[in-house]
Amino acid sequence: MRGFVVSDFLDALTNQFLLVGVLVTAGLTVAGLAGGLILGLVVALLRASGNKAVSGVARGYIWFFRGTPLLIQMVMVYSGLPQVGIKFGVLVSVIVTLVLNEAAYMAEIIRGGFLAVPPGQGDAAKALGLSRTLALRKVILPQAIRIILPALGNSVNGLLKATSIASVISMEELMRRSEMIMQVKFDVLEVFAAAAVYYLVLTTLWDRVQRRLERRFDPVARTATAKTIAPAIEQAALPR
């Protein structure tokens, strides 16, 4: 069996073809996160609706996308939807699938954050004459954000690594480009090691961003209230 060659590893690490894959992976992660947050917020609000039909649809959405593998969802979007006249390109299919999948997890994380905010905060906002929308934006959401940030960080790390599944429909992200290089040079260990380094770099960069966000939204030390909300957030952040 061929041993690990450091020079080949360094070549893979500086390979421009692989570096483009890193940028594609980062872009897919950002798109999936942004879309997942927006759609997840909508689903979380629908899930909390007093209308049983609306709440049931939201629960069904979460149940489906959290209960089926991302790989199956991606194949269904890319190859299944054209059967009913809806056709997306590779890039759009990947982004749509990542957003739909991430939104299901974000919805539960956001809902857990809302539930953790003391009910009296909403009552106080109502007493001050704030509309429901304004109370949500100015009172509830800022408090929920600082609660959900730790769980959000875990979800983003999972999303970053989940982008590798896009290689099954020929999306040339980091993993797909790594496989393409290996088919030419047969440097399996070296290329995979380089890909692992890049994934570690991306997750480390996100960790820095997350820490800054936590300091931005929660400048004071964690209080006893945080201990009471931890179980709800841990439940919402169950691994996929």
Side-chain angles (χ1 to χ4, degrees), residues 12-229:
L13 201 60
T14 56
N15 189 300
Q16 292 187 359
F17 186 74
L18 200 61
L19 288 172
V20 173
V22 175
L23 296 178
V24 172
T25 292
L28 292 175
T29 303
V30 172
L33 174 62
L37 279 172
I38 296 172
L39 182 57
L41 176 59
V42 174
V43 174
L45 294 175
L46 295 178
R47 175 74 173 78
S49 172
N51 187 308
K52 291 184 178 180
V54 173
S55 179
V57 170
R59 283 198 302 270
Y61 175 91
I62 295 170
W63 167 77
F64 177 80
F65 282 99
R66 287 183 58 169
T68 56
L70 178 61
L71 173 60
I72 293 177
Q73 296 167 17
M74 197 162 291
V75 172
M76 288 176 64
V77 170
Y78 183 66
S79 301
L81 289 182
Q83 306 299 319
V84 295
I86 304 174
K87 186 175 182 180
F88 296 129
V90 173
L91 178 59
V92 175
S93 295
V94 171
I95 293 177
V96 167
T97 307
L98 290 176
V99 168
L100 292 174
N101 181 270
E102 189 66 14
Y105 290 91
M106 287 291 107
E108 288 297 272
I109 291 174
I110 293 171
R111 188 174 71 91
F114 285 160
L115 292 175
V117 175
Q121 297 293 314
D123 295 337
K126 185 177 180 180
L128 291 173
L130 298 180
S131 65
R132 185 175 180 180
T133 302
L134 194 58
L136 175 66
R137 186 164 59 90
K138 294 292 187 179
V139 179
I140 307 299
L141 196 55
Q143 296 182 66
I145 287 176
R146 68 172 64 101
I147 294 170
I148 70 176
L149 274 175
L152 176 64
N154 291 334
S155 187
V156 172
N157 280 336
L159 173 63
L160 174 63
K161 289 174 283 188
T163 58
S164 63
I165 296 177
S167 62
V168 300
I169 60 172
S170 301
M171 182 69 210
E172 293 187 6
E173 40 66 65
L174 178 55
M175 185 56 65
R176 173 63 176 170
R177 286 179 175 247
S178 297
E179 293 171 350
M180 293 170 72
I181 293 175
M182 285 186 291
Q183 290 172 3
V184 175
K185 297 186 175 182
F186 304 102
D187 298 334
V188 178
L189 290 176
E190 293 82 359
V191 175
F192 268 143
V197 169
Y198 282 125
Y199 277 116
L200 286 171
V201 169
L202 291 174
T203 54
T204 301
L205 289 175
W206 166 249
D207 183 66
R208 296 288 183 91
V209 173
Q210 181 186 349
R211 291 179 184 276
R212 290 178 66 90
L213 289 173
E214 288 178 353
R215 288 196 297 268
R216 168 68 176 82
F217 287 98
D218 192 13
V220 297
R222 193 174 295 177
T223 62
T225 304
K227 297 180 181 179
T228 65
I229 62 172

